[in-house]
Amino acid sequence: MSQDAAGPSVLARLMLVLLGLSFLGAAWVWSHRSEPWASPLVERARRTVGR
């Protein structure tokens, strides 16, 4: 099998999985933003984005 037909490398796959998990984690924290432990995380993210 040639290298072009092999698909993304293991490192690229790992980075995509970690990126997906980070988005899922952020969405989960955002859905719990009214709880005391999550509100500082959400406020820090809002300040970073500028909203």
Side-chain angles (χ1 to χ4, degrees):
M1 184 184 273
S2 70
Q3 182 68 4
D4 293 335
S9 67
V10 174
L11 182 60
R13 289 179 189 181
L14 177 64
M15 292 300 294
L16 287 173
V17 167
L18 291 176
L19 185 64
L21 289 175
S22 66
F23 277 112
L24 285 174
W28 183 79
V29 169
W30 186 263
S31 70
H32 290 85
R33 66 184 175 267
S34 62
E35 296 183 22
W37 59 267
S39 59
L41 297 174
V42 172
E43 288 304 317
R44 190 178 329 146
R46 283 183 173 170
R47 276 186 270 128
T48 302
V49 174
R51 290 186 179 198

